[in-house]
Amino acid sequence: MRITAALTETRGAPFALTPLELDDPRPGEVVVRMVSSGVCHTDLIMRDQWYPVPLPVVLGHEGAGVVEAVGDGVGHVVPGDHVVLTFNSCGDCGMCDHGRPAYCDGFFGCNFSGARPDGSSPLRRVGGGSVHGVFFGQSSFATHALATERNVVKVDRDAPLELLGPLGCGVQTGAGAVLNSLDPPAGSSLAIFGTGSVGISAIMAAVIAGCSPIVAIDLNERRLETALELGATHAIDAATDDPVERLRDLTGGADYTLETTGVASVLRQAVDALGNGGTCGLIGAAALGTEVSLDMSALLFGRSVRGIVEGDSVPRRFIPRLIDFHRQGRFPFDRLIRTYAFEDINQAVEDSEKGTTLKPVLTFAG
Ligand SMILES: [Zn+2]
Ligand SMILES: [Zn+2]
């Protein structure tokens, strides 16, 4: 079928709306008409080739929409179902078997190779010419996306599809890091380094978990204000204050910290701010090969650093749970979102990079 996609032709290039052809679904595949797609930091670092995603490619991995067609053997969804698209996994390795799909042995191939497992792409230029697709099992910067049965999550018809895209990556990453990965007992202290959409999702989840204090750290005053509005009990402006010292004053050494920025020196601070026995969750993605130095004696006293992908989410369980929290008014992730028409994708990206929009969401005309 003919679709319109925002194509990334070369490293760092602006997104270019382009007509493309999309394959019909093969067995196990699902075609989704997009209603919304979040723009995630990971799309931008892929555009900039921090990871070697092959070009030209259609990026986008926070899609939500309506199932348009399904391939043979698909039983989880039927045409007309409302779905959130999420990361893909092989379903066949030890980590997938143990219910940890975010650490799938095939994660890179399933999400970043730009192709199906057999090497084919479901996308091509009108008149021929290959284009890489199935980014994060979806390539959602397009009017239609081809996913697999494994990475679509059916949601209730009355849930607001135009807002749900970010649940498939950024929001579940932040919220899951707290509720699934760290799972802090009520009353634990938690400090979140970086208050972008992932960090603020973590803050909202920390309120649900009953953490106290919940300390937000950033360089951006406006973001810190938003963090305070959405549940942080304290804010530290790292431009003017030493976060490690302030956190020691506030918590006596934090029980938990979360690093969401991907900056090595910030990870160091997030570890140095821990009390004995504390855990630092690392969410921020750095360029491949980035190294950090840590104080070995500090680590020895029961501290740990734990890498976290996609908030340890098992999406079919966790995404409906987040929608329930939202419905109950306990998880107002819509406060992070600003919507843009799909055609305005480059404006959405610019506003995200400037920090004036926490979570841009593209919307697609009916
Ligand atoms: Zn796997
Ligand atoms: Zn993402």
Side-chain angles (χ1 to χ4, degrees):
M1 70 185 294
R2 182 72 57 89
I3 69 168
T4 302
L7 193 59
T8 297
E9 293 265 15
T10 55
R11 177 186 185 152
F15 293 96
L17 292 203
T18 309
L20 296 176
E21 292 290 342
L22 177 68
D23 279 355
D24 290 334
R26 294 181 183 178
E29 293 180 343
V30 177
V31 170
V32 177
R33 174 175 63 79
M34 213 53 62
V35 171
S36 69
S37 176
V39 177
C40 176
H41 180 63
T42 306
D43 295 309
L44 308 182
I45 67 177
M46 296 299 172
R47 173 201 65 186
D48 296 340
Q49 296 280 283
W50 286 24
Y51 292 4
V53 173
L55 302 176
V57 68
V58 177
L59 299 169
H61 63 285
E62 290 185 348
V66 179
V67 174
E68 184 132 317
V70 299
D72 288 345
V74 171
H76 176 62
V77 292
V78 296
D81 280 346
H82 290 195
V83 292
V84 171
L85 305 183
T86 188
F87 65 92
N88 206 3
S89 54
C90 78
D92 205 27
C93 69
M95 295 308 268
C96 283
D97 276 350
H98 287 98
R100 304 185 73 197
Y103 307 103
C104 171
D105 289 339
F107 194 88
F108 266 68
C110 288
N111 292 289
F112 303 142
S113 68
R116 296 182 175 105
D118 70 1
S120 66
S121 169
L123 293 172
R124 63 200 168 281
R125 291 183 200 269
V126 176
S130 64
V131 170
H132 297 282
V134 290
F135 178 64
F136 267 96
Q138 51 185 293
S139 292
S140 65
F141 290 164
T143 54
H144 298 77
L146 184 131
T148 70
E149 184 175 24
R150 264 189 83 71
N151 71 314
V152 298
V153 178
K154 188 169 154 180
V155 298
D156 289 343
R157 292 281 172 109
D158 62 353
L161 270 185
E162 67 283 3
L163 299 175
L164 297 186
L167 295 183
C169 183
V171 171
Q172 79 175 353
T173 292
V178 175
L179 295 174
N180 300 325
S181 317
L182 300 181
D183 192 18
S188 309
S189 54
L190 172 63
I192 291 107
F193 288 77
T195 54
S197 57
V198 170
I200 292 191
S201 298
I203 288 168
M204 292 187 292
V207 175
I208 292 171
C211 292
S212 179
I214 301 167
V215 187
I217 300 116
D218 206 301
L219 299 164
N220 180 319
E221 230 172 290
R222 266 189 46 202
R223 286 185 178 200
L224 287 172
E225 276 166 30
T226 307
L228 288 168
E229 283 167 24
L230 293 177
T233 57
H234 301 77
I236 299 174
D237 185 341
T240 52
D241 269 327
D242 176 355
V244 176
E245 222 168 88
R246 281 288 315 282
L247 278 169
R248 289 229 177 87
D249 291 345
L250 281 169
T251 65
D255 298 317
Y256 297 93
T257 59
L258 265 183
E259 198 304 299
T260 73
T261 71
V263 176
S265 58
V266 177
L267 175 59
R268 172 71 196 243
Q269 291 176 334
V271 175
D272 286 350
L274 292 171
N276 286 357
T279 301
C280 169
L282 166 62
I283 302 178
L288 289 177
T290 303
E291 297 194 354
V292 66
S293 72
L294 298 172
D295 181 330
M296 286 176 66
S297 312
L299 275 184
L300 204 57
F301 283 83
R303 292 178 178 83
S304 47
V305 180
R306 157 90 156 79
I308 301 167
V309 171
E310 296 287 346
D312 283 322
S313 176
V314 175
R316 271 185 207 171
R317 297 214 187 91
F318 193 53
I319 289 175
R321 199 170 147 214
L322 292 177
I323 293 171
D324 278 345
F325 284 140
H326 179 253
R327 200 178 271 136
Q328 295 161 10
R330 300 166 70 196
F331 189 67
F333 73 94
D334 53 290
R335 294 273 305 275
L336 309 177
I337 288 175
R338 182 170 164 202
T339 57
Y340 297 78
F342 178 42
E343 295 71 27
D344 297 329
I345 180 170
N346 288 308
Q347 185 65 51
V349 167
E350 187 186 322
D351 291 355
S352 168
E353 289 182 320
K354 275 193 311 210
T356 54
T357 297
L358 276 169
K359 173 54 79 177
V361 170
L362 308 172
T363 57
F364 296 80

